[in-house]
Amino acid sequence: TGGVVSIVAGAGTVSITNHVAETVHLTLNDLGVGLDTTDTKDLLFLPGAIARINIEDPGNATVDDAVTVELRAYDLYGNLATGSNLSVLLQSTGSVIGAGMVDLVFGIGTRQIRDPLAETVTLSLGSVGGGVTTTSQQTLTFAPGVATRFLVQPLPQSVDSPVQVPVIAVDRYGNQATSFQGGVTVQLQGPSALSQTQLVGVMAGQGTGSFVVTVPQNATASLVDSQVSGLNVNDTVVFAIIPGEAR
């Protein structure tokens, strides 16, 4: 928008404002005075001084990923403060690796972070002073990574009930790989004529084998990659199968 300019002694002014950093085109409109008004000018409105720093939404990731966290500096009206060069501390809760100082150049700065633990963390900023707001926060969820191995996890139990042998698929950091679906064979062996196998279905990264054992003994649970999943099955656990209740 513009306005009417009163010209006195051959000169006049009008005050205009713009909260958007952009180039505007100025023109004149002859209000019937018969003067040449074909002159035009372009006027560039630059961003204002930095007022706040935002952590942009990093989306979500898995523990296998390096996540690029982007920070942006904005002026009072939400324009990218491209004239701002400064450093700010990126902070995180949880087990995140890589948080630290971020240099903003022309209003933008990035830093890569990782997290070996499947968890949700909160990203925040340290203070930079000068009246700049740094209260921006973002939550970031690191999901488990790709399954790399099976683990067998039996606990001591009695002969009164079928012996339960849980199996989980884990990623390279030991998080349960909840996206994995498949199967693995559990072997249960012991000194008292115990030798059983069972194919266990693994859904959402977990499954359980069930075995009938009537003789108390120390049993050994191990795994066989019968379904050719390619996952590491090098895990063996010895556990006690104890006598049942007296009858």
Side-chain angles (χ1 to χ4, degrees), residues 11-246:
T13 62
V14 65
S15 178
I16 60 174
T17 59
N18 191 357
H19 296 160
V20 179
E22 62 179 348
T23 298
V24 298
H25 190 60
L26 303 178
T27 60
L28 297 173
N29 182 21
D30 180 6
L31 298 180
V33 296
L35 298 178
D36 182 357
T37 56
T38 58
D39 190 36
T40 63
K41 287 290 186 294
D42 286 336
L43 173 61
L44 174 62
F45 285 90
L46 296 171
I50 179 174
R52 60 185 169 90
I53 301 173
N54 271 22
I55 306 172
E56 301 300 301
D57 185 357
N60 292 317
T62 76
V63 296
D64 292 332
D65 302 325
V67 178
T68 299
V69 179
E70 182 177 271
L71 308 184
R72 288 183 172 241
Y74 293 97
D75 67 14
L76 185 63
Y77 301 107
N79 302 292
L80 182 65
T82 53
S84 301
N85 298 327
L86 77 168
S87 297
V88 62
L89 178 63
L90 175 65
Q91 306 168 133
S92 178
T93 59
S95 301
V96 164
I97 299 168
M101 296 303 296
V102 181
D103 295 326
L104 278 71
V105 179
F106 300 119
I108 298 176
T110 61
R111 192 171 181 96
Q112 283 199 334
I113 61 173
R114 292 180 175 272
D115 193 342
L117 184 64
E119 62 179 346
T120 297
V121 301
T122 299
L123 304 177
S124 61
L125 299 173
S127 174
V128 296
V132 177
T133 299
T134 56
T135 56
S136 175
Q137 293 188 343
Q138 290 286 354
T139 57
L140 170 58
T141 298
F142 288 91
V146 175
T148 60
R149 65 181 303 198
F150 286 114
L151 297 177
V152 60
Q153 298 183 316
L155 296 174
Q157 48 202 294
S158 80
V159 296
D160 281 343
S161 301
V163 173
Q164 305 298 300
V165 181
V167 177
I168 63 171
V170 298
D171 63 26
R172 59 177 168 162
Y173 299 110
N175 303 290
Q176 183 175 320
T178 52
S179 63
F180 179 83
Q181 299 187 32
V184 65
T185 293
V186 176
Q187 292 185 141
L188 193 62
Q189 297 176 311
S192 299
L194 175 59
S195 181
Q196 299 182 36
T197 62
Q198 185 179 125
L199 176 61
V200 176
V202 179
M203 303 291 290
Q206 63 182 350
T208 302
S210 183
F211 301 85
V212 175
V213 181
T214 58
V215 179
Q217 58 192 293
N218 285 331
T220 300
S222 59
L223 301 168
V224 176
D225 188 16
S226 57
Q227 304 305 293
V228 198
S229 67
L231 273 62
N232 186 335
V233 292
N234 186 25
D235 191 37
T236 301
V237 174
V238 178
F239 66 104
I241 302 176
I242 62 175
E245 295 183 359

